[in-house]
Amino acid sequence: MRNIRTLPIDRITVAPSLLAADFGKLNAEIKRVTEAGADLLHLDIMDGHFVPNLTIGPPVLKSLRPVSNLIFDTHLMLSEPLKYAPVFIENGADHITFHLEADNDPAEVIRAIKAAGATAGISVKPGTPVETVYPYLDDLDLVLIMTVEPGFGGQSFMADLMPKITALRREIRRRQLRIHIEADGGIGAATVETVARAGGNMIVAGTSVFRHPESAAQGIAELHAASKFL
Ligand code: DX5
Ligand code: ZN
């Protein structure tokens, strides 16, 4: 069953971001990170409007679905999640994370995601206070804290955002919820400890996995090793 609820929250799970893969051979790239120990696959969807970049759309997910059993962790960086979340789910997304800063009513988007059979997450950009997510927490499976400005891979990790993760972890504990805290942007061996110590349990990693100087397996192992700091 491909569902993020089946993944542990008490150790580090790793979602390699396909954005850093070689787009000329996506099948082989997905196989490579699957064999290297990926827990799920992160797909960055950008519309050239919510963020100044364009990536992949529903037909690409549809073509990749039969080649992989990994959970498709789909990160919608687009302005109209209400319109597009169901389309991505129809085409193979198992989980949808949309941005709180997008144009639609978050409660309505969560309902649409669940009605279409996927799990739901909300993401916040670096400048958005984490407390803005709290009204929706009871209905979420995941919160994604951006540790770079969304739009591009390969940027530098913003360590000053860790208090957002700490506060969110505290609020989730207080309410006794089971929600993944995912962090995305600039995370690798040198920065993962900081995220884990703050309470982030799910790591998105593009550059540090797909472009690891030794191997993707080594990149994933270095991230998993931070479980001891959680
Ligand atoms: C940025 C994306 C990230 C990005 C991460 O907008 O949401 O998922 O691909 O890439 P790295 O790990 O290279 O920062
Ligand atoms: Zn992402």
Side-chain angles (χ1 to χ4, degrees):
M1 185 195 187
R2 295 190 317 259
N3 188 313
I4 62 162
R5 290 189 202 125
T6 64
L7 298 173
I9 55 165
D10 57 353
R11 65 172 180 83
I12 296 288
T13 48
V14 178
S17 165
L18 199 61
L19 198 57
D22 179 344
F23 274 35
K25 46 176 186 178
L26 287 179
N27 272 11
E29 289 285 77
I30 292 173
K31 287 210 174 86
R32 183 161 75 93
V33 292
T34 304
E35 285 160 16
D39 298 289
L40 65 172
L41 187 71
H42 188 80
L43 298 137
D44 288 303
I45 315 298
M46 307 186 189
D47 67 350
H49 179 72
F50 183 76
V51 288
N53 195 7
L54 283 163
T55 54
I56 59 171
V60 178
L61 264 80
K62 191 175 186 173
S63 325
L64 295 176
R65 188 67 281 176
V67 309
S68 177
N69 270 327
L70 287 177
I71 296 166
F72 281 5
D73 165 26
T74 312
H75 179 192
L76 299 186
M77 284 161 275
L78 44 78
S79 299
E80 291 186 87
L82 188 59
K83 180 172 175 187
Y84 290 108
V87 181
F88 280 93
I89 296 164
E90 267 164 43
N91 285 274
D94 303 298
H95 170 83
I96 297 279
T97 297
F98 65 97
H99 270 267
L100 191 72
E101 304 88 353
D103 296 335
N104 305 128
D105 170 23
E108 206 180 335
V109 179
I110 294 169
R111 280 195 296 276
I113 292 169
K114 292 190 170 175
T119 51
I122 288 184
S123 181
V124 283
K125 296 203 261 185
T128 305
V130 71
E131 292 76 16
T132 55
V133 177
Y134 292 181
Y136 311 103
L137 274 185
D138 291 343
D139 298 315
L140 294 174
D141 304 286
L142 179 152
V143 175
L144 170 56
I145 304 294
M146 289 305 301
T147 45
V148 297
E149 286 298 336
F152 299 92
Q155 305 182 72
S156 296
F157 175 75
M158 298 162 85
D160 54 329
L161 298 177
M162 292 305 100
K164 286 169 76 170
I165 295 183
T166 311
L168 177 62
R169 177 55 71 198
R170 198 179 303 127
E171 182 65 11
I172 288 172
R173 280 218 182 97
R174 190 181 71 77
R175 296 203 210 171
Q176 299 186 309
L177 298 170
R178 190 182 191 279
I179 299 177
H180 294 285
I181 300 182
E182 187 176 42
D184 183 2
I187 305 173
T191 46
V192 67
E193 176 177 342
T194 315
V195 177
R197 283 191 189 279
N201 67 286
M202 187 178 277
I203 304 295
V204 177
T207 309
S208 68
V209 169
F210 279 102
R211 302 183 190 182
H212 192 281
E214 282 170 46
S215 66
Q218 181 65 24
I220 291 173
E222 287 166 1
L223 297 169
H224 277 154
S227 288
K228 58 179 178 285
F229 303 119
L230 257 179

